[in-house]
Amino acid sequence: MTNLNETHDPALTSWVESANAPETDFPIQNLPYGVYRKAGSGGPGRVGVAIGDRILDVTAAAAEMSGAAKDAAGLCNGETLNELMAAGNGAWSALRAGLSRLLREGGPADAPRDALRGALTAQADAEMLVPANIGDFSDFWASLVHATNAGKINRPDNPLLPNYKHLPIAYHARSSSFGVSGTAVRRPEGQVKPPGADSPVFRPCARLDYEMELGLYVGPGNDIGSPIALDDAEKHLFGVCVLNDWSARDIQAWEYVPLGPFQGKNFANTISPWVVTMEALAPFRTPAYERAAGDPALMPYLASDANAAAGGIDVRLEVLMSSAKMRAAGTPPALIGASRFKDMYWTAAQLVAQHTASGCNLRPGDLLGSGTVSDEESFGSLLETSWAGSRTFTLPGGEERTFLEDGDEVIMRGYCEADGARRIGLGECRAEVLPS
Ligand code: MN
């Protein structure tokens, strides 16, 4: 886990005024990376860092840096973050410190602000791109609450499967269908077996759902055959995003036995464009989830004192919805669910240790999904909110929902707050459902 350093000082302010607004997701203590281009330009993507409502071009900023920070900035002249992700903690820390010093108020007296001002783009004028070449995507199921709820819905007499508390469960998913926030998602068609029907039919998904998750980007990979030890796991994590793992529940329900999700999951994933680094999350670390007294003892490869003491991360996630009717009426999106990543049964480090325990190799830019983040009272999926379609909920304006309708927009947000720290945000992951 990264220690606190000068870049986390809550007293730091930036000469980019909008970064000092109390409600901004991107104060100088955050400095998340993304890939952007001028909206409508169709040009190549550039690596930028978010500061307030602006983006600083990291390659342009490199000209004003020296030493290790300049070297690390030099890894950002491509169209993805993969080279920076591969470089590891030393490079990441040097670049973060270099950017913090260039952007802070009261920084070096000769801070070349005129040159840097010319390297700023308004986020409103930018088009964000998928920030990494995501080679592989694996999706976990790390929330005990979500796993128990999904189990109760499918197996009321036996909600939690016997393996759950022994190892983090996941499936190997798909990276080709990732879209960045703002990319619309088309309702999939597929084979479903309606309740009571004798045989399946092919039709548009009638139970379209979201899953609110935290995405974890892999930094340096590991060699095949060389598992990553739990206490080294976070050296292999670059940062996080908000992830919507779209799910077609009716397609999933018919196809998933015995090999797991396929068509029900592979049609789209939406990610927030900014990657908040593990270093930026340092003020928001918490103990790992406290396992109940009767839970099985962890095997040694999934247990360590460091993980128990500070393996958690207090990222708060929220999901909001707006229907086409609400948007036409000017009604703001309605909050549907809110939950916290720190309450997950398995930590980020345990997901990495489990993924590589077999010797499986991770590569820079791979993405690990946490699984739906649900609290006891507030859920990260409509499967739970509607209890598999058996309960409706009402949107402002009176429309009722169980699952998503065409024209619905799903908006997920993440942020972190802690005593003695500046609030930081993960930004937004937003997408509208289009008809099939
Ligand atoms: Mn998922």
Side-chain angles (χ1 to χ4, degrees), residues 37 46 56 85 97 137 157 240 256 305 315 356 394:
R37 65 186 170 204
R46 299 185 67 82
L56 177 67
M85 289 169 159
F137 169 48
D157 50 331
V240 305
Y256 87 104
D305 291 344
V315 180
T356 62
T394 307

Side-chain angles (χ1 to χ4, degrees), residues 13 15 48 77 88 123 166 210 214 220 267 277 284 312 325 338 375:
T13 56
W15 50 265
N77 57 12
Q123 288 176 27
H166 291 273
Y210 55 75
L214 195 69
F267 57 96
T277 62
F284 310 103
K325 192 174 156 191
D375 283 351

Side-chain angles (χ1 to χ4, degrees), residues 177-308:
S177 45
F178 270 90
V180 76
S181 180
T183 308
V185 169
R186 194 162 290 285
R187 179 181 299 274
E189 297 185 344
Q191 203 180 113
V192 303
K193 190 164 176 291
D198 290 333
S199 44
V201 294
F202 191 89
R203 69 177 192 196
C205 167
R207 294 190 156 205
L208 184 61
D209 198 358
Y210 55 75
E211 292 191 339
M212 176 167 69
E213 306 193 13
L214 195 69
L216 302 155
Y217 280 101
V218 172
N222 58 308
D223 292 333
I224 189 166
S226 299
I228 296 173
L230 183 64
D231 283 346
D232 290 332
E234 289 201 10
K235 295 177 193 155
H236 295 266
L237 287 175
F238 176 74
V240 305
C241 67
V242 184
L243 165 68
N244 182 349
D245 176 29
W246 297 88
S247 299
R249 298 297 180 197
D250 43 0
I251 297 172
Q252 184 184 358
W254 173 235
E255 74 174 0
Y256 87 104
V257 182
L259 289 187
F262 185 41
Q263 302 286 293
K265 296 278 195 174
N266 68 6
F267 57 96
N269 286 283
T270 307
I271 45 174
S272 58
W274 296 107
V275 185
V276 172
T277 62
M278 295 301 286
E279 189 170 355
L281 296 170
F284 310 103
R285 301 310 299 253
T286 67
Y289 181 90
E290 195 175 335
R291 296 161 66 90
D295 286 1
L298 288 167
M299 291 189 197
Y301 79 99
L302 291 171
S304 79
D305 291 344
N307 182 65

Side-chain angles (χ1 to χ4, degrees), residues 111-122:
R113 291 192 190 166
D114 286 344
L116 290 173
R117 278 186 209 283
L120 291 173
T121 298

